[in-house]
Amino acid sequence: MNIEPCSYVIFGATGNLSRVKLMPALYHLDVANRLPEGTRIIAIGRRPWNQLQWLNEVLDMIKAKVKEDFDEILFQRFSQRFHYHQGDINQPECYLSLANTLTQPEFPKNIAYYLSISPADFGSVMNLLSEQHLFNEDEGWRRIIIEKPFGYDLDSAQALQTKISHYLNEEQVYRIDHYLGKGMVQNVLVFRFANVMLEPLWNRNYIDHIQITHAESIGIDSRGDYYNSAGAMRDMLQSHLLQLLTLVTMEPPVSMDAESLRDEKVKVLKSIRPIPKEAVHAHTFRGQYTKGHVNGAKVPAYLDEANIPSNSTTETYASLKLYIDNWRWRGVPIYMRTGKRLAKAQSTISICFRHPPLQFFRDTEVHCMNQNWILLGIQPEECIRIEMTVKEPGLEMNTRTRSLDANFRNQDEKAIDAYEDLLLDVLKGDRSLFLRFDEVEHAWRIVDPILQTWAIERDYITTYPAGSWGPEDNRLFDKDNQYWRESLLPECK
Ligand code: BG6
C-alpha cells in the first residue's frame, strides 16, 4: 500500500504519553522504514527549548525505551523529521505560528493532529485550530487523534462529540483505545474467526462464564490528579476492558472493514443488560490499595501518593459482572476486574466451559475434574491455551489437566507496541482499530449508573494491601464453584 507522507502535529509532545509511547513508536516505525518519505513531526510544547534542546529530550526518551537496540545513525535520520514548535496551546499566537510553519514547503500537506493533552483542553484546542483554518482540507487531508478519556461520563462525552462534529466529520476522527493495537488483542479475532472448530462451542450452550482480568503491579506514578478524578472504572473498565469484551463476544462481521467491525462491537454493547442503580452493589465491587509490598519492594498507600487528598475514596480496584442479552450469550456471566498495585502485572481473558452433563467417573479415583478453560494471555505473557483433562499414566483411573499451547510468536519475533500500529493506521486512513462515537457512547451508558451510585457513596471504600490480588469480592460470582482465575498454568480447584 502506498502511504502518503504527512505532518504529524503532536500536542503535549513533552508529556508522559509522548515520552513513553509516541516518540518510541515513531522511532521504531522510522527504523523499520514504515514512515513514508518526507513525513515530518511537529512537536508542540510550552517549554522554551530550541530545536537542539528538544532533540536531546527525544534522545533521552528513545534511549530509555529502546536501550541496547539504540542506533546512533538511525536516530540521526529520525531527528531530521522533527520541528519543535514552542507555544502555549491555549493562546491563539501558537496557532498563528503553527499555520505559518505548516505552509512551508518541507511540511507535507496532509496533517494529523495528535491531542495528547488534558481532555479539558480538547474543546479550546479544536476551536483555535479551526480559527486558523487548520482543519481546511483543500490541500490535503486533516485527521485528529484523540486520547482517552473521551468524556467523563455519558453527558460530557456527548457534549465533547457535539463540539468535535462542529469542526470535523466522523471520517476525520481517530479515537484511540490503545488496547486495540495490541498484537494479542487483534489475535482474539483471528483465533475466533480463523478456527472453525471453535464456533460451535462459542456460546451459552458450552460456556459457563467469561472472565477478563487486567492486573497491574504499578501504582499511579505521577498521574495523581488525573487518576483521582477518574478511578479504575473510568480509567480501564469503561474503555479497554469493555473493548476486549466486545471482541470476545461479537458476531462475525461481514468483513474486516472498519464499519462492519465496529457495527458488530456496538451490537454487543447495546445488548449488555443495563445495571439499575439498585443492583449496582450486586454487580460491582471497588477497593483502594493501602501500603504493602510489590515485587519485594515497599510501596505507599494510595492515600500517601502525590496529589491524592487524604480522604479520597477513589477506587484503584474495580470489578463488574455483566450479562449480554442476546441469543448467543443470554445467561452467561461476564466477570471483569482491574486494579493497580496488585500481586503481578497480568492481563488475561479466561473462558470457562461447562462441566460435562454426566460425571461418569464418579466411582473412580477421579477427584479433580476441572472444567475446560481457554486462556488468552494478553500481556506480559502472550499465549493461547486450551486446558483439557487427560488420564494420568498408570494403573489407576486418575486425571490431570494439560494445556494445548498455540504460541503465536516465535522467539526471534519481537513484540510491536500498540502505538506503532495505530500511528501507522492514521496515515493509512484505516479506522478499524479506533473507536466510533457510538461505541464510546454505549460504553458510558453501561458504567454511568455505577459511577453515579459510587459518586454519592463517598464515606467509605474497602481496602486491600498493595501486592495482594485485591479485595475479597467473591460475592459477584453466580455459583459457588466460580472463582477468579489467577494463573495461566493449570489450576486444580
Ligand atoms: C491506560 C491507563 O489507558 O492504560 C493506565 O490510563 C493503565 O492507568 C494503562 O496503566 C494500561 O495500559 P498497558 O498498555 O500498560 O496495559
Side-chain angles (χ1 to χ4, degrees):
M1 183 179 186
N2 189 18
I3 314 175
E4 292 175 1
C6 96
S7 301
Y8 238 122
V9 181
I10 317 256
F11 287 82
T14 55
N16 191 50
L17 181 80
S18 168
R19 191 169 286 278
V20 297
K21 295 288 186 189
L22 304 182
M23 294 306 150
L26 288 166
Y27 172 76
H28 280 134
L29 285 173
D30 195 26
V31 168
N33 293 320
R34 299 301 294 270
L35 285 183
E37 193 62 40
T39 294
R40 299 291 307 270
I41 305 163
I42 294 111
I44 304 194
R46 202 196 301 248
R47 298 180 204 190
W49 287 335
N50 59 30
Q51 177 81 356
L52 199 63
Q53 285 167 307
W54 162 249
L55 288 179
N56 279 334
E57 284 294 312
V58 182
L59 182 66
D60 288 346
M61 298 178 196
I62 305 298
K63 276 188 170 165
K65 206 66 192 183
V66 305
K67 303 203 169 93
E68 62 277 7
D69 287 341
F70 181 77
D71 184 312
E72 189 67 48
I73 294 174
L74 291 173
F75 180 78
Q76 284 312 323
R77 184 181 81 176
F78 181 56
S79 59
Q80 312 279 312
R81 296 190 182 274
F82 277 101
H83 172 85
Y84 184 68
H85 183 85
Q86 197 265 325
D88 178 346
I89 60 166
N90 294 310
Q91 298 303 323
E93 301 76 58
C94 175
Y95 299 81
L96 195 65
S97 50
L98 177 65
N100 275 335
T101 302
L102 288 168
T103 51
Q104 306 303 311
E106 67 265 35
F107 292 98
K109 297 297 166 216
N110 298 317
I111 307 175
Y113 301 105
Y114 198 119
L115 303 194
S116 173
I117 52 176
S118 156
D121 292 331
F122 285 170
S124 84
V125 167
M126 307 266 310
N127 200 9
L128 290 162
L129 281 167
S130 152
E131 275 175 12
Q132 291 304 325
H133 311 290
L134 285 163
F135 289 138
N136 190 329
E137 289 200 305
D138 287 350
E139 290 190 72
W141 50 251
R142 300 287 177 272
R143 295 175 187 155
I144 188 153
I145 304 118
I146 302 183
E147 266 294 333
K148 71 163 253 279
F150 195 90
Y152 183 76
D153 54 13
L154 180 61
D155 288 349
S156 56
Q158 285 170 334
L160 176 58
Q161 176 58 18
T162 308
K163 208 166 264 175
I164 291 175
S165 51
H166 182 71
Y167 303 108
L168 301 163
N169 57 46
E170 181 66 21
E171 285 69 47
Q172 295 175 281
V173 184
Y174 290 69
R175 296 178 198 83
I176 278 217
D177 183 313
H178 76 281
Y179 265 57
L180 297 179
K182 291 185 188 270
M184 216 13 239
V185 174
Q186 295 174 29
N187 206 8
V188 172
L189 289 187
V190 177
F191 178 62
R192 282 194 57 201
F193 301 133
N195 295 301
V196 73
M197 74 234 199
L198 292 173
E199 175 55 24
L201 306 178
W202 214 257
N203 55 50
R204 61 194 298 276
N205 299 328
Y206 295 96
I207 292 180
D208 180 72
H209 72 274
I210 297 175
Q211 296 184 14
I212 301 177
T213 291
H214 172 79
E216 293 185 81
S217 54
I218 55 166
I220 53 165
D221 296 329
S222 54
R223 301 160 77 219
D225 279 337
Y226 154 75
Y227 196 87
N228 199 54
S229 61
M233 182 62 78
R234 286 190 180 84
D235 186 51
M236 286 300 303
L237 267 154
Q238 185 272 346
S239 46
H240 308 319
L241 297 204
L242 280 177
Q243 280 297 315
L244 292 182
L245 168 66
T246 60
L247 299 178
V248 178
T249 56
M250 70 191 231
E251 295 300 315
V254 281
S255 77
M256 286 302 278
D257 74 58
E259 296 320 316
S260 311
L261 197 67
R262 299 189 296 179
D263 285 346
E264 293 306 332
K265 291 202 286 166
V266 168
K267 279 194 213 160
V268 172
L269 295 170
K270 275 179 157 170
S271 322
I272 289 178
R273 191 184 303 166
I275 301 178
K277 285 193 185 156
E278 58 281 9
V280 163
H281 290 284
H283 279 257
T284 63
F285 203 88
R286 60 181 170 152
Q288 188 186 78
Y289 63 83
T290 53
K291 65 179 183 213
H293 287 84
V294 176
N295 300 328
K298 231 172 147 175
V299 297
Y302 177 70
L303 295 181
D304 295 328
E305 303 271 15
N307 298 331
I308 303 298
S310 58
N311 60 352
S312 169
T313 49
T314 294
E315 79 285 357
T316 58
Y317 173 97
S319 58
L320 172 63
K321 171 168 64 178
L322 293 174
Y323 291 96
I324 302 173
D325 281 342
N326 63 16
W327 276 52
R328 191 187 280 267
W329 296 114
R330 172 103 192 170
V332 177
I334 321 271
Y335 304 111
M336 307 204 282
R337 64 172 172 166
T338 182
K340 301 257 182 217
R341 287 284 189 229
L342 296 183
K344 73 183 208 201
Q346 182 173 296
S347 301
T348 320
I349 301 172
S350 313
I351 293 138
C352 180
F353 285 80
R354 288 168 177 257
H355 273 296
L358 253 163
Q359 292 276 3
F360 45 62
F361 297 108
R362 202 183 311 246
D363 298 322
T364 68
E365 287 300 303
V366 177
H367 300 301
C368 178
M369 273 288 288
N370 282 344
Q371 285 159 285
N372 300 113
W373 290 78
I374 290 185
L375 303 170
L376 305 171
I378 306 293
Q379 63 184 31
E381 190 179 349
E382 295 175 313
C383 67
I384 297 178
R385 292 204 177 122
I386 304 182
E387 288 187 351
M388 315 281 289
T389 302
V390 295
K391 182 185 174 304
E392 268 184 10
L395 297 175
E396 316 304 330
M397 178 51 102
N398 280 329
T399 61
R400 57 168 68 142
T401 303
R402 281 282 183 261
S403 54
L404 309 178
D405 246 296
N407 224 334
F408 99 112
R409 198 184 298 287
N410 295 332
Q411 265 182 353
D412 57 337
E413 289 167 335
K414 280 200 182 143
I416 292 176
D417 188 81
Y419 277 89
E420 294 176 41
D421 224 348
L422 297 173
L423 287 168
L424 197 59
D425 280 353
V426 175
L427 296 188
K428 292 184 198 157
D430 180 352
R431 291 180 302 127
S432 31
L433 298 181
F434 294 83
L435 307 183
R436 207 166 60 188
F437 180 61
D438 48 356
E439 289 182 76
V440 179
E441 199 173 24
H442 285 289
W444 279 122
R445 279 186 210 285
I446 295 163
V447 302
D448 250 19
I450 305 168
L451 293 171
Q452 284 162 12
T453 307
W454 286 357
I456 48 179
E457 294 176 354
R458 283 283 169 221
D459 296 340
Y460 169 79
I461 185 161
T462 309
T463 55
Y464 61 95
S468 66
W469 272 103
E472 281 281 321
D473 63 350
N474 288 342
R475 67 175 169 75
L476 279 194
F477 292 113
D478 279 1
K479 299 184 199 156
D480 287 345
N481 66 348
Q482 293 174 341
Y483 60 94
W484 287 117
R485 175 87 202 210
E486 266 149 30
S487 169
L488 287 167
L489 299 171
E491 289 177 343
C492 188
K493 290 268 170 169

